[in-house]
Amino acid sequence: MADPSLPTSTPDSDSLLRRLAGPSVNKAGLAKDQTEINRIIAEVSKGSKFYENEKRKDKELTLRIERILKLRDEAIKGVDLSKIEQQVDKMVARLEAKRDLSQVIVHVDMDAFFASVEVLDNPSLASKPFAVGQGVISTASYEARKFGVRSGMATFVAKKLCPDLLVLSSHFDRYSEMSNKVMSIFRRYDPTMCAAGCDEGYLNITRYCEEHNLSPEECASQMRQTVYDETRLTVSAGIAPNKMLAKICSDKNKPNGQYKLDFEPGAIKAFMHDLSIRKVPGVGRVNERLLESIGITNCGDIFQKRAVLFLLDKQFGLEFLLQAYLGIASNVVEPGQREERKSIGAERTFNALSDTSKIYAKLEEVAAELEHDMEEGGWTGKTVTLKYKLDTFQVFTRAKSFDRWISSKKEDLFAIGQELLKPELPLTLRLIGLRVTKLKDLKAEAESKARGIKRFFESASMNSSPRKRRRFEATLTDNNEDDFPRLSQDGFATAMPGFYDDAETSELVSGTDDSVTGLGVYTPVHEAGPSTCKSRSTSHQPGRSTSPHTSSVSQSMHGKLSVSPKSEKARRAATEKDELLPVVLPAPLECPICGKLLDTDNQGLNEHVDFCLSKQAIKEAQTESLKPTSSGHRTAVEMGSRKQPARTKPATHDVHGGGLLRYKKKG
């Protein structure tokens, strides 16, 4: 008989049960039917702060879905969907023409990495259910996974699922040591491999196979055996024509197995057709629920719903989903580049702490780790952001910008973090972190100075060079990066809209060996150096830039971080009441052009709509201005002109932004 204290079986409560189950429900070794496991998780969690936070998020996502469905219903009124389908079919044909089956890509993924390293040091754990991590599980052994224990799960829930569970402390130095050994083996097969975390990566073994007269299967098997012989650790591998497919394939025969997908278009499309949409890299659990709301549960459904996806492109990312349907993605494998880096940071997760001195001690640990990474990596910056998670699992940030490059010394970083945290105390925290953004590459600066006068003369001919143009365009993209899809090096979309924001803000665990990563956008903590496994060193894309003053950022209902300045009066009031006052925001308004939900009033919405309509024209004008003039002089943009381009109507495109009027039925 069902527990009467549990939610009744309704669509909303079903979504809550799935949310409570966490983001790692598809991990290898878990039971296929997790209904009973999810019921126990809900029963154990009910009444906890974690449960209430997840319930709030689930409700907010439900309201978001209702708005999207309303937008969909309005968009399809009077529209000839068959004409839209014909237009999308042309897009599918163009994507199909980009399919490249010439490269052999392998995704390698260590099996339960942290747990496996612990077994190396304590073989008696081999047949026992155990997990690594205090407060929140970092990884679980395969024996523990049989009970439903998984990464990202609260320890008290894990012990309810598996009463005999052993919980071990993390040993990040040891994980980093073993990671370096494993990565050095992988680089024998591809010196320019792309590490996607401390326990996984992408390799292009095309040349190696040709030079050693090996088939892809033989090469992957040899590589896996070498890893085991030299480290006693096992690794699984996926072999496919591109990185997306290789990552999916690496999970097919876990643990300690490999899977090769046939390099044939028909076989690839058949493989993807019935694949759960959640299995696609770049589709998170928030994205999954959004897609389910319009009838998409597997990749085959994408084509059936292509007209609706076209109309709701900003919400769902049509091109990325069509790539998933076809099984087409980037096959470029190369290490992360220094210029790709947007931030550098470190975090600590711990059991809930209320003692101010202990919280400061954790902050000092974070500052020390950040100092090490900044000095070793050669970085400085102008903005420091403090991130903290309450015992209610709500995430907040406080940021401060400077008009100078900040010191990377631990004492200075700690002082800034303490300054940002002190007005919010007292608090009960379970996570604290520091991040530096608006970075400056000190290594590049040193190299530039070393080249001296030669670089000075070379720069005279670079006024309109492609390199300079790329740098300028990158600056434009950084300022509006939420408005454009992230692309791989060869121009493929890497994720659904909002995937990276949702992945960042919904993470409950630091230092898991289950990296949330896109394709080709990972930047190692130490570029071109050994991989590292830490409590968490962050290297992600920042959101919109904040003001030069201290600002408060709270997690919004859409999985993003919304910026809202906090006045000194409110700050003092919060301190006097010994509690954190939440920022109360009005109901968000949705932009009919880009679909973004905005915390603003009608006037602000109208201004945003004007911006959306003119954004493409502005971007084109800025790009055009970079072209050299006939006289050879630099353009106004290159000279730093502040003039605003005239507001014009947006250009009409074949697929994106083409407008709905062309598809309205006559009469």
Side-chain angles (χ1 to χ4, degrees), residues 296-595:
I296 297 176
T297 58
N298 56 52
C299 292
D301 296 328
I302 293 171
F303 188 74
Q304 300 300 321
K305 301 290 184 180
R306 62 192 185 280
V308 172
L309 291 172
F310 177 93
L311 296 173
L312 301 178
D313 179 37
K314 288 293 184 180
Q315 288 76 21
F316 292 98
L318 174 64
E319 183 165 348
F320 171 78
L321 291 174
L322 289 178
Q323 290 174 195
Y325 164 72
L326 295 170
I328 295 175
S330 172
N331 63 5
V332 174
V333 175
E334 59 183 32
Q337 303 299 311
R338 285 183 65 84
E339 58 265 26
E340 294 175 1
R341 187 153 212 176
K342 304 300 179 185
S343 68
I344 183 169
E347 295 178 358
R348 284 284 190 277
T349 296
F350 38 82
N351 292 323
L353 291 178
S354 300
D355 188 295
T356 300
S357 61
K358 292 181 179 180
I359 292 175
Y360 282 153
K362 292 293 183 183
L363 180 61
E364 192 168 14
E365 291 178 16
V366 170
E369 182 177 323
L370 183 54
E371 174 194 40
H372 174 270
D373 289 345
M374 291 178 69
E375 292 189 349
E376 184 170 305
W379 299 102
T380 185
K382 287 190 175 182
T383 297
V384 177
T385 300
L386 169 78
K387 174 183 176 182
Y388 59 89
K389 182 182 291 183
L390 303 179
D391 59 336
T392 60
F393 292 86
Q394 291 175 290
V395 177
F396 295 86
T397 68
R398 302 288 182 264
K400 183 172 184 179
S401 293
F402 298 84
D403 57 3
R404 56 176 173 80
W405 300 111
I406 64 172
S407 165
S408 61
K409 297 299 182 183
K410 178 188 73 173
E411 295 77 12
D412 296 326
L413 294 171
F414 173 75
I416 297 171
Q418 188 178 41
E419 177 188 350
L420 293 170
L421 180 62
K422 189 174 181 180
E424 313 301 335
L425 296 172
L427 297 172
T428 301
L429 304 183
R430 57 181 301 110
L431 176 148
I432 197 164
L434 289 173
R435 185 171 77 249
V436 176
T437 55
K438 298 183 181 178
L439 296 182
K440 179 180 182 180
D441 188 343
L442 297 177
K443 286 187 176 180
E445 183 181 56
E447 292 171 359
S448 176
K449 290 180 179 178
R451 285 191 290 268
I453 193 68
K454 179 180 178 181
R455 181 177 176 85
F456 172 79
F457 284 112
E458 287 177 348
S459 66
S461 60
M462 291 177 59
N463 287 341
S464 300
S465 69
R467 183 178 180 183
K468 181 170 184 178
R469 190 174 299 118
R470 281 198 303 271
R471 286 181 176 177
F472 184 83
E473 289 172 348
T475 302
L476 296 178
T477 302
D478 289 345
N479 291 337
N480 297 282
E481 66 179 71
D482 287 341
D483 299 326
F484 302 98
R486 296 192 190 182
L487 303 178
S488 63
Q489 299 95 317
D490 45 350
F492 290 95
T494 60
M496 283 185 65
F499 168 76
Y500 297 102
D501 297 313
D502 292 331
E504 178 186 341
T505 56
S506 66
E507 270 190 333
L508 296 180
V509 59
S510 295
T512 69
D513 60 351
D514 309 301
S515 302
V516 179
T517 178
L519 301 177
V521 297
Y522 174 80
T523 304
V525 175
H526 305 294
E527 291 78 358
S531 301
T532 58
C533 292
K534 300 185 177 183
S535 60
R536 180 168 177 84
S537 283
T538 58
S539 134
H540 50 74
Q541 304 283 346
R544 296 185 183 278
S545 59
T546 61
S547 68
H549 307 289
T550 303
S551 63
S552 86
V553 186
S554 62
Q555 185 172 334
S556 74
M557 64 188 299
H558 313 297
K560 295 187 177 182
L561 294 179
S562 56
V563 182
S564 53
K566 186 176 182 181
S567 68
E568 288 301 317
K569 182 178 180 181
R571 189 185 300 279
R572 286 194 300 270
T575 306
E576 291 169 2
K577 292 184 178 181
D578 291 338
E579 63 180 5
L580 180 67
L581 294 179
V583 179
V584 180
L585 299 174
L589 301 175
E590 185 162 14
C591 173
I593 307 300
C594 70

Side-chain angles (χ1 to χ4, degrees), residues 562-636:
S562 56
V563 182
S564 53
K566 186 176 182 181
S567 68
E568 288 301 317
K569 182 178 180 181
R571 189 185 300 279
R572 286 194 300 270
T575 306
E576 291 169 2
K577 292 184 178 181
D578 291 338
E579 63 180 5
L580 180 67
L581 294 179
V583 179
V584 180
L585 299 174
L589 301 175
E590 185 162 14
C591 173
I593 307 300
C594 70
K596 286 200 170 189
L597 292 150
L598 310 168
D599 294 317
T600 186
D601 54 17
N602 288 331
Q603 181 179 350
L605 176 63
N606 290 333
E607 292 174 352
H608 178 84
V609 170
D610 289 342
F611 168 74
C612 282
L613 291 173
S614 62
K615 178 171 56 182
Q616 184 62 32
I618 292 173
K619 186 180 179 185
E620 291 173 356
Q622 290 170 322
T623 303
E624 182 67 23
S625 67
L626 288 169
K627 297 179 180 179
T629 63
S630 57
S631 62
H633 296 296
R634 288 185 296 172
T635 62

